[in-house]
Amino acid sequence: MRPTGPFPVVVLLLAYFHLPLGAQTPVAEFDLIIEGGRVIDGTGNPWFYGDVGIRDQRIVSVTPAGGLRTTPAALRLDATGHVVAPGFIDIQSHSRDAILEGDGLVVSKVTQGITTEIMGEAVTNAPQNIRTGGGGQHDFSGKHGFAHWLDAMKRNGASVNFGSFVGATTVRMYAKGMTLGPATPAELDTMRAVVRDAMEDGAFGLGSALIYPPGNYASTDELIELAKAMAPYGGVYITHMRSEADAWLEAIDEALRIGRDGGVPVEIFHLKAGGQRNWSKMDAAIAKIDSARAVGQDIQANMYLYVAGGTGLSACLPPWASADGKLLDNLTDPLMRGRIRADMDRIQNEWENLCQLATPEGVLLLGLLRPENGQFIGKHLGDVAEMMEKPWQEAIMDLLVSERQRIGTIFFMMSEENIAKQLRQPWIKFGTDAGGEDPAQANGLVHPRSYGNFPRLLGKYVREDGVIPLEDAIRKASSAVASRLSLTDRGILRPGMYADIVVFDPETVSDRATFEEPHQLSVGIRDVFVNGTAVVRNGIHTGAKPGMIVRGPGYRSEGQ
């Protein structure tokens, strides 16, 4: 009979090495011992040569090298010449579809060394009602809709652990749909209630994205009220701020106010200074965060390791054009289209035109689906506009009408100098801002961070450029995120912790994915264990799906 659940590490690895289950061996004290590697425990402490013993999904022992040499084990793994570290925690994942409806293997993530993915930037599958687009194949409505969503992903199975913030856009849509304007008192009551329910279902906090409609229809005061609702549950307000460019410093001020008045910690998604004219603001932004921390406000940030971001081409249109779900209607109405074009031409701070910030030469089109638009895939907006023989603004609008979807796009807006400055900050962490991919089933282009974010950290920024020490990079990729999320049993190599472990070669670890050819797995990540089960061995996915749900500190089981 073929087993249907994840293989325990002893069974999986015995099979890998073709060892019979019935072999006569001494009674094993450990399922697995990883021995002889450079142990970097995730705390920031210096590495040491050590052995790590695992039993029943957890780390049981961490000793100096040779300390477990005589201890019986079902399997011993030689890590000589490799680093043994806690698995990486991706604080900004978009693997919702891969885990809920796909095969859950998230190959491009686990081969980076990622063992836990945290979702929830702006949009989540729950809470669900007719205004959020409910009524599909899954039903996540009702008081515990958020918990039912997490449970559905667990039933489908995943190679990684996973959890989520509750999406602020989803919360607003639950009460108001795509409607502009402030929330009424009754709508605010509804929003508060669904936030509280999600926190009790295990959400880590509230995740907003304030440059996209309808999320950016929310006022500062509305977000403060939602923060107050999650504050008693230990939630974090995590935000893609209202501006990452011309009004960047003002957006940090807004995030600080939401945290201060709402009584919650603040975490900034993918900290960046977008657009060359804003690169010089990085020092002021870091100083602003440091100053807030110096007077006792808890604000931190995370980042990805690329000078380009990725989102929809529709982000180059004014947010009001999408109100009430009428974007396509407005683009086909000559009068409204003229208004949209006028707003796209204007340099202003009321909304963030990513195409202006990146310039048409820095906008790379990826997510075109219709056959007639295939000629434009992998080309820059300036070239596409020339091919279409029209201004880039008109080219964008015509493509959106043709495709009837947001069109995945890459925007080159950041500087390498600023990436290095951010990396050195003690409060920084890492997220891919991407979903898991499988190169064997790849369809179209994606941002290379889907495959390479963490190996790029270890290869380019640690080994090659020497921006930060390896121990600090590991801390920021593991225990710093676990601490931020109140995950007390992950993120450190310590007895009692779940055995989320990555074994990699510090001399060869590197990203291979590029913007032109993104579907290339990273190299140098040899072995990855999730809850003590091997999901990657010798760089190859084992097919195992031992991932667990991870939940925030406010979690209460149903009926509690």
Side-chain angles (χ1 to χ4, degrees):
M1 179 182 296
R2 181 179 178 181
T4 57
F7 291 108
V9 66
V10 60
V11 176
L12 182 67
L13 293 181
L14 284 172
Y16 183 88
F17 288 107
H18 309 292
L19 297 176
L21 283 172
Q24 296 299 313
T25 58
V27 175
E29 185 173 335
F30 294 114
D31 297 331
L32 171 68
I33 292 176
I34 304 172
E35 54 189 358
R38 292 187 182 184
V39 174
I40 298 180
D41 66 8
T43 65
N45 288 335
W47 65 265
F48 62 93
Y49 289 115
D51 299 344
V52 179
I54 299 166
R55 184 176 62 239
D56 296 333
Q57 302 183 316
R58 293 182 184 263
I59 297 169
V60 178
S61 181
V62 179
T63 72
L68 300 179
R69 184 176 295 121
T70 61
T71 306
L75 188 70
R76 309 185 80 90
L77 193 66
D78 184 4
T80 302
H82 290 70
V83 168
V84 182
F88 307 142
I89 304 175
D90 181 355
I91 199 172
Q92 190 183 11
S93 166
H94 296 297
S95 292
R96 290 185 295 134
D97 291 343
I99 297 176
L100 179 62
E101 299 176 343
D103 60 19
L105 298 179
V106 289
V107 176
S108 69
K109 294 297 193 74
V110 294
T111 53
Q112 291 189 51
I114 293 169
T115 57
T116 301
E117 297 197 57
I118 307 299
M119 297 164 279
E121 182 197 3
V123 177
T124 41
N125 295 59
Q128 182 188 76
N129 66 5
I130 192 170
R131 294 188 186 91
T132 66
Q137 69 178 97
H138 298 285
D139 180 10
F140 302 134
S141 59
K143 181 177 177 64
H144 292 294
F146 194 89
H148 296 161
W149 168 46
L150 296 177
D151 289 340
M153 288 191 284
K154 181 65 175 70
R155 286 193 299 273
N156 192 49
S159 294
V160 292
N161 306 306
F162 56 89
S164 185
F165 292 83
V166 62
T169 295
T170 299
V171 171
R172 181 178 171 89
M173 290 180 69
Y174 191 97
K176 286 187 70 71
M178 291 288 293
T179 305
L180 276 165
T184 66
E187 289 167 341
L188 265 180
D189 282 344
T190 297
M191 292 183 199
R192 293 187 192 99
V194 296
V195 167
R196 288 192 292 266
D197 290 344
M199 295 303 296
E200 293 184 5
D201 282 348
F204 289 102
L206 183 74
S208 70
L210 302 181
I211 73 166
Y212 308 115
N216 58 357
Y217 299 165
S219 67
T220 306
D221 288 338
E222 178 181 309
L223 294 166
I224 289 170
E225 290 304 309
L226 300 186
K228 289 178 180 178
M230 70 169 168
Y233 301 95
V236 174
Y237 175 65
I238 189 167
T239 179
H240 177 153
M241 296 186 298
R242 212 173 292 271
S243 173
E244 296 177 318
D246 295 341
W248 187 34
L249 301 179
E250 295 83 352
I252 296 176
D253 288 335
E254 181 190 33
L256 286 167
R257 183 188 161 202
I258 291 167
R260 185 170 57 249
D261 293 357
V264 296
V266 174
E267 179 80 19
I268 298 173
F269 274 133
H270 47 55
L271 187 72
K272 65 171 76 80
Q276 187 170 354
R277 63 178 181 253
N278 295 299
W279 290 353
S280 62
K281 296 177 180 178
M282 180 57 71
D283 290 340
I286 291 172
K288 189 179 286 288
I289 293 170
D290 284 341
S291 295
R293 292 184 58 79
V295 297
Q297 183 164 4
D298 184 354
I299 178 171
Q300 302 180 31
N302 54 76
M303 64 184 292
Y304 49 75
L305 284 306
Y306 296 85
V307 295
T311 188
L313 187 62
S314 54
C316 297
L317 273 60
W320 61 261
S322 296
D324 300 317
K326 294 182 177 179
L327 177 60
L328 292 177
D329 291 340
N330 290 335
L331 288 174
T332 54
D333 179 287
L335 180 61
M336 297 300 291
R337 183 173 174 130
R339 285 186 57 199
I340 293 170
R341 168 67 190 271
D343 247 12
M344 293 173 71
D345 290 342
R346 189 179 303 117
I347 297 178
Q348 29 103 347
N349 289 333
E350 292 180 9
W351 62 283
E352 203 150 272
N353 188 334
L354 300 186
C355 287
Q356 276 190 353
L357 290 164
T359 75
E361 290 68 37
V363 177
L364 184 67
L365 304 185
L366 304 183
L368 296 159
L369 305 178
R370 295 185 65 84
E372 62 267 30
N373 298 324
Q375 60 184 317
F376 305 133
I377 295 174
K379 290 186 168 55
H380 291 87
L381 177 60
D383 295 330
V384 171
E386 186 174 336
M387 292 169 68
M388 296 176 71
E389 298 183 342
K390 58 186 61 175
W392 61 266
Q393 298 91 335
E394 297 292 334
I396 290 173
M397 291 189 281
D398 284 351
L399 286 172
L400 288 170
V401 170
S402 171
E403 289 281 324
R404 305 185 70 83
Q405 49 100 8
R406 62 198 292 268
I407 305 177
T409 302
I410 301 294
F411 298 88
F412 290 85
M413 298 190 298
M414 287 76 77
S415 77
E416 284 287 356
E417 180 182 356
N418 280 343
I419 287 179
K421 285 182 180 180
Q422 293 169 219
L423 273 170
R424 297 186 182 103
Q425 304 313 309
W427 34 257
I428 208 72
K429 293 167 292 300
F430 306 111
T432 62
D433 195 7
E437 300 282 342
D438 185 345
Q441 303 173 19
N443 182 22
L445 300 179
V446 296
H447 196 297
R449 63 195 179 195
S450 296
Y451 288 84
N453 194 66
F454 287 88
R456 185 173 178 83
L457 166 69
L458 302 173
K460 174 176 171 55
Y461 292 104
V462 172
R463 183 182 65 241
E464 296 174 9
D465 296 351
V467 176
I468 57 175
L470 181 57
E471 290 88 346
D472 192 37
I474 297 297
R475 179 188 69 80
K476 289 170 175 173
S478 56
S479 69
V481 189
S483 174
R484 192 55 160 166
L485 301 176
S486 300
L487 294 175
T488 58
D489 51 8
R490 301 185 190 273
I492 298 176
L493 299 185
R494 178 181 294 163
M497 295 286 189
Y498 278 103
D500 297 340
I501 299 173
V502 57
V503 180
F504 66 90
D505 185 344
E507 299 303 319
T508 63
V509 64
S510 183
D511 62 308
R512 297 173 61 240
T514 65
F515 290 100
E516 295 76 21
E517 297 184 34
H519 296 290
Q520 302 185 76
L521 296 178
S522 298
V523 296
I525 303 292
R526 194 188 77 177
D527 309 305
V528 180
F529 299 88
V530 175
N531 303 313
T533 293
V535 295
V536 174
R537 279 293 290 121
N538 288 326
I540 299 172
H541 202 303
T542 67
K545 297 196 287 186
M548 297 179 178
I549 301 170
V550 291
R551 298 180 174 91
Y555 171 64
R556 301 176 185 175
S557 61
E558 288 190 43
Q560 191 173 12

